mmCIF file of all heavy atoms in Angstrom:
data_model
loop_
_atom_site.group_PDB
_atom_site.id
_atom_site.type_symbol
_atom_site.label_atom_id
_atom_site.label_comp_id
_atom_site.label_asym_id
_atom_site.label_seq_id
_atom_site.Cartn_x
_atom_site.Cartn_y
_atom_site.Cartn_z
ATOM 1 N N ILE M 7 13.730 -93.531 2.282
ATOM 2 C CA ILE M 7 14.501 -94.201 3.357
ATOM 3 C C ILE M 7 15.396 -95.188 2.677
ATOM 4 O O ILE M 7 14.963 -96.078 1.971
ATOM 5 C CB ILE M 7 13.546 -94.853 4.353
ATOM 6 C CG1 ILE M 7 12.652 -93.779 4.999
ATOM 7 C CG2 ILE M 7 14.326 -95.626 5.392
ATOM 8 C CD1 ILE M 7 11.561 -94.358 5.838
ATOM 9 N N GLU M 11 19.554 -94.233 6.511
ATOM 10 C CA GLU M 11 18.499 -94.152 7.493
ATOM 11 C C GLU M 11 18.253 -95.494 8.214
ATOM 12 O O GLU M 11 18.064 -95.496 9.452
ATOM 13 C CB GLU M 11 17.202 -93.630 6.855
ATOM 14 C CG GLU M 11 17.248 -92.212 6.392
ATOM 15 C CD GLU M 11 17.918 -92.021 5.041
ATOM 16 O OE1 GLU M 11 18.124 -93.022 4.319
ATOM 17 O OE2 GLU M 11 18.211 -90.859 4.688
ATOM 18 N N MET M 15 18.876 -97.092 12.692
ATOM 19 C CA MET M 15 17.755 -97.574 13.454
ATOM 20 C C MET M 15 18.240 -98.661 14.430
ATOM 21 O O MET M 15 19.174 -99.369 14.150
ATOM 22 C CB MET M 15 16.640 -98.135 12.596
ATOM 23 C CG MET M 15 15.951 -97.095 11.751
ATOM 24 S SD MET M 15 14.615 -97.861 10.787
ATOM 25 C CE MET M 15 13.934 -96.426 10.003
ATOM 26 N N LYS M 16 17.536 -98.777 15.547
ATOM 27 C CA LYS M 16 17.862 -99.825 16.525
ATOM 28 C C LYS M 16 17.471 -101.181 15.907
ATOM 29 O O LYS M 16 16.584 -101.296 15.080
ATOM 30 C CB LYS M 16 17.066 -99.633 17.813
ATOM 31 C CG LYS M 16 17.528 -98.416 18.575
ATOM 32 C CD LYS M 16 16.735 -98.301 19.832
ATOM 33 C CE LYS M 16 17.159 -97.086 20.650
ATOM 34 N NZ LYS M 16 16.487 -96.952 21.918
ATOM 35 N N ILE M 21 9.699 -100.850 10.957
ATOM 36 C CA ILE M 21 9.314 -99.770 10.043
ATOM 37 C C ILE M 21 7.967 -100.050 9.426
ATOM 38 O O ILE M 21 7.692 -101.213 8.998
ATOM 39 C CB ILE M 21 10.417 -99.512 8.984
ATOM 40 C CG1 ILE M 21 10.183 -98.216 8.246
ATOM 41 C CG2 ILE M 21 10.535 -100.664 8.023
ATOM 42 C CD1 ILE M 21 11.390 -97.693 7.530
ATOM 43 N N THR M 24 2.765 -96.804 5.203
ATOM 44 C CA THR M 24 1.404 -96.685 4.693
ATOM 45 C C THR M 24 1.299 -95.434 3.861
ATOM 46 O O THR M 24 0.148 -95.042 3.496
ATOM 47 C CB THR M 24 0.356 -96.687 5.808
ATOM 48 O OG1 THR M 24 0.588 -95.522 6.624
ATOM 49 C CG2 THR M 24 0.442 -97.989 6.647
ATOM 50 N N ALA M 25 2.408 -94.756 3.620
ATOM 51 C CA ALA M 25 2.361 -93.433 3.016
ATOM 52 C C ALA M 25 2.258 -93.422 1.490
ATOM 53 O O ALA M 25 1.245 -93.105 0.940
ATOM 54 C CB ALA M 25 3.626 -92.625 3.409
ATOM 55 N N SER M 26 3.330 -93.830 0.828
ATOM 56 C CA SER M 26 3.280 -93.855 -0.628
ATOM 57 C C SER M 26 4.405 -94.684 -1.175
ATOM 58 O O SER M 26 5.388 -95.021 -0.506
ATOM 59 C CB SER M 26 3.326 -92.434 -1.212
ATOM 60 O OG SER M 26 4.625 -91.877 -1.001
ATOM 61 N N GLY M 28 7.702 -95.640 -3.142
ATOM 62 C CA GLY M 28 9.007 -94.992 -3.369
ATOM 63 C C GLY M 28 9.604 -94.336 -2.122
ATOM 64 O O GLY M 28 10.692 -93.761 -2.244
ATOM 65 N N ILE M 29 8.948 -94.444 -0.989
ATOM 66 C CA ILE M 29 9.573 -93.848 0.221
ATOM 67 C C ILE M 29 10.680 -94.709 0.747
ATOM 68 O O ILE M 29 11.671 -94.217 1.223
ATOM 69 C CB ILE M 29 8.504 -93.606 1.291
ATOM 70 C CG1 ILE M 29 7.632 -92.434 0.853
ATOM 71 C CG2 ILE M 29 9.111 -93.358 2.648
ATOM 72 C CD1 ILE M 29 6.599 -92.021 1.859
ATOM 73 N N ASN M 31 13.520 -97.696 0.002
ATOM 74 C CA ASN M 31 14.265 -98.445 -0.997
ATOM 75 C C ASN M 31 14.085 -99.922 -0.634
ATOM 76 O O ASN M 31 14.592 -100.401 0.421
ATOM 77 C CB ASN M 31 15.749 -98.056 -0.976
ATOM 78 C CG ASN M 31 16.588 -98.874 -1.922
ATOM 79 O OD1 ASN M 31 16.462 -100.060 -2.012
ATOM 80 N ND2 ASN M 31 17.434 -98.151 -2.666
ATOM 81 N N THR M 33 15.174 -102.734 -1.914
ATOM 82 C CA THR M 33 16.367 -103.573 -1.937
ATOM 83 C C THR M 33 17.116 -103.444 -0.624
ATOM 84 O O THR M 33 17.540 -104.445 -0.013
ATOM 85 C CB THR M 33 17.284 -103.227 -3.128
ATOM 86 O OG1 THR M 33 16.553 -103.381 -4.358
ATOM 87 C CG2 THR M 33 18.517 -104.098 -3.157
ATOM 88 N N LEU M 35 15.832 -102.397 2.175
ATOM 89 C CA LEU M 35 14.974 -102.941 3.235
ATOM 90 C C LEU M 35 15.101 -104.469 3.320
ATOM 91 O O LEU M 35 15.229 -104.966 4.423
ATOM 92 C CB LEU M 35 13.492 -102.583 2.969
ATOM 93 C CG LEU M 35 12.471 -103.086 3.983
ATOM 94 C CD1 LEU M 35 12.772 -102.556 5.369
ATOM 95 C CD2 LEU M 35 11.056 -102.719 3.524
ATOM 96 N N VAL M 36 15.140 -105.156 2.202
ATOM 97 C CA VAL M 36 15.315 -106.605 2.193
ATOM 98 C C VAL M 36 16.618 -106.922 2.880
ATOM 99 O O VAL M 36 16.656 -107.813 3.743
ATOM 100 C CB VAL M 36 15.297 -107.181 0.780
ATOM 101 C CG1 VAL M 36 15.794 -108.608 0.744
ATOM 102 C CG2 VAL M 36 13.895 -107.102 0.162
ATOM 103 N N ASN M 37 17.704 -106.243 2.548
ATOM 104 C CA ASN M 37 18.998 -106.532 3.143
ATOM 105 C C ASN M 37 18.960 -106.276 4.659
ATOM 106 O O ASN M 37 19.533 -107.087 5.393
ATOM 107 C CB ASN M 37 20.115 -105.737 2.498
ATOM 108 C CG ASN M 37 20.343 -106.137 1.026
ATOM 109 O OD1 ASN M 37 20.117 -107.313 0.692
ATOM 110 N ND2 ASN M 37 20.834 -105.237 0.216
ATOM 111 N N LYS M 40 16.937 -109.151 6.291
ATOM 112 C CA LYS M 40 17.684 -110.439 6.205
ATOM 113 C C LYS M 40 18.814 -110.439 7.210
ATOM 114 O O LYS M 40 19.075 -111.476 7.841
ATOM 115 C CB LYS M 40 18.272 -110.624 4.816
ATOM 116 C CG LYS M 40 17.330 -111.209 3.802
ATOM 117 C CD LYS M 40 18.111 -111.482 2.532
ATOM 118 C CE LYS M 40 17.209 -112.180 1.501
ATOM 119 N NZ LYS M 40 17.948 -112.415 0.234
ATOM 120 N N ASN M 41 19.521 -109.344 7.325
ATOM 121 C CA ASN M 41 20.682 -109.294 8.180
ATOM 122 C C ASN M 41 20.350 -108.840 9.624
ATOM 123 O O ASN M 41 21.249 -108.587 10.424
ATOM 124 C CB ASN M 41 21.740 -108.300 7.609
ATOM 125 C CG ASN M 41 22.247 -108.821 6.246
ATOM 126 O OD1 ASN M 41 22.533 -110.013 6.124
ATOM 127 N ND2 ASN M 41 22.400 -107.930 5.282
ATOM 128 N N LYS M 42 19.031 -108.793 9.917
ATOM 129 C CA LYS M 42 18.577 -108.470 11.275
ATOM 130 C C LYS M 42 19.056 -107.076 11.782
ATOM 131 O O LYS M 42 19.260 -106.888 12.955
ATOM 132 C CB LYS M 42 18.911 -109.548 12.257
ATOM 133 C CG LYS M 42 18.507 -110.964 11.865
ATOM 134 C CD LYS M 42 17.007 -111.099 11.751
ATOM 135 C CE LYS M 42 16.667 -112.551 11.459
ATOM 136 N NZ LYS M 42 15.290 -112.734 11.100
ATOM 137 N N LYS M 43 19.218 -106.154 10.829
ATOM 138 C CA LYS M 43 19.624 -104.814 11.204
ATOM 139 C C LYS M 43 18.394 -104.061 11.844
ATOM 140 O O LYS M 43 18.592 -103.143 12.632
ATOM 141 C CB LYS M 43 20.122 -104.010 9.985
ATOM 142 C CG LYS M 43 21.324 -104.627 9.340
ATOM 143 C CD LYS M 43 22.549 -104.456 10.216
ATOM 144 C CE LYS M 43 23.759 -105.024 9.508
ATOM 145 N NZ LYS M 43 24.951 -104.962 10.320
ATOM 146 N N ILE M 44 17.208 -104.454 11.391
ATOM 147 C CA ILE M 44 15.963 -104.005 12.020
ATOM 148 C C ILE M 44 15.095 -105.245 12.231
ATOM 149 O O ILE M 44 15.283 -106.278 11.598
ATOM 150 C CB ILE M 44 15.212 -102.948 11.179
ATOM 151 C CG1 ILE M 44 14.773 -103.428 9.813
ATOM 152 C CG2 ILE M 44 16.043 -101.648 11.042
ATOM 153 C CD1 ILE M 44 13.850 -102.496 9.055
ATOM 154 N N LEU M 49 4.053 -103.296 5.632
ATOM 155 C CA LEU M 49 4.023 -102.612 4.363
ATOM 156 C C LEU M 49 2.572 -102.599 3.785
ATOM 157 O O LEU M 49 1.955 -103.666 3.670
ATOM 158 C CB LEU M 49 4.956 -103.269 3.353
ATOM 159 C CG LEU M 49 6.414 -103.401 3.822
ATOM 160 C CD1 LEU M 49 7.186 -104.262 2.847
ATOM 161 C CD2 LEU M 49 7.033 -102.036 4.008
ATOM 162 N N PRO M 57 2.142 -105.696 -6.184
ATOM 163 C CA PRO M 57 3.500 -106.236 -6.034
ATOM 164 C C PRO M 57 3.685 -107.598 -6.685
ATOM 165 O O PRO M 57 2.731 -108.374 -6.779
ATOM 166 C CB PRO M 57 3.678 -106.335 -4.493
ATOM 167 C CG PRO M 57 2.278 -106.411 -4.000
ATOM 168 C CD PRO M 57 1.424 -105.647 -4.912
ATOM 169 N N THR M 59 4.620 -111.162 -6.534
ATOM 170 C CA THR M 59 4.704 -112.132 -5.432
ATOM 171 C C THR M 59 6.017 -112.878 -5.365
ATOM 172 O O THR M 59 6.228 -113.586 -4.378
ATOM 173 C CB THR M 59 3.489 -113.112 -5.521
ATOM 174 O OG1 THR M 59 3.542 -113.755 -6.783
ATOM 175 C CG2 THR M 59 2.201 -112.381 -5.371
ATOM 176 N N HIS M 61 8.814 -111.247 -5.317
ATOM 177 C CA HIS M 61 9.724 -110.241 -4.734
ATOM 178 C C HIS M 61 10.333 -110.857 -3.457
ATOM 179 O O HIS M 61 9.627 -111.515 -2.718
ATOM 180 C CB HIS M 61 8.986 -108.963 -4.433
ATOM 181 C CG HIS M 61 9.888 -107.833 -4.091
ATOM 182 N ND1 HIS M 61 10.603 -107.774 -2.917
ATOM 183 C CD2 HIS M 61 10.146 -106.693 -4.789
ATOM 184 C CE1 HIS M 61 11.314 -106.636 -2.899
ATOM 185 N NE2 HIS M 61 11.087 -106.006 -4.010
ATOM 186 N N PRO M 62 11.643 -110.644 -3.223
ATOM 187 C CA PRO M 62 12.270 -111.174 -2.039
ATOM 188 C C PRO M 62 11.614 -110.829 -0.701
ATOM 189 O O PRO M 62 11.734 -111.551 0.275
ATOM 190 C CB PRO M 62 13.692 -110.598 -2.084
ATOM 191 C CG PRO M 62 13.931 -110.252 -3.517
ATOM 192 C CD PRO M 62 12.570 -109.920 -4.075
ATOM 193 N N LEU M 66 10.452 -113.349 3.380
ATOM 194 C CA LEU M 66 10.882 -113.031 4.730
ATOM 195 C C LEU M 66 9.781 -113.280 5.713
ATOM 196 O O LEU M 66 8.622 -113.030 5.440
ATOM 197 C CB LEU M 66 11.344 -111.571 4.813
ATOM 198 C CG LEU M 66 12.500 -111.183 3.855
ATOM 199 C CD1 LEU M 66 12.754 -109.658 3.918
ATOM 200 C CD2 LEU M 66 13.769 -111.913 4.213
#
Side-chain angles (χ1 to χ4, degrees):
I7 299 172
E11 292 81 13
M15 292 182 177
K16 293 181 180 184
I21 192 162
T24 62
S26 69
I29 287 184
N31 178 315
T33 302
L35 179 60
V36 168
N37 291 334
K40 276 185 176 179
N41 296 318
K42 307 295 184 194
K43 300 290 184 183
I44 62 171
L49 306 172
T59 57
H61 192 289
L66 301 173

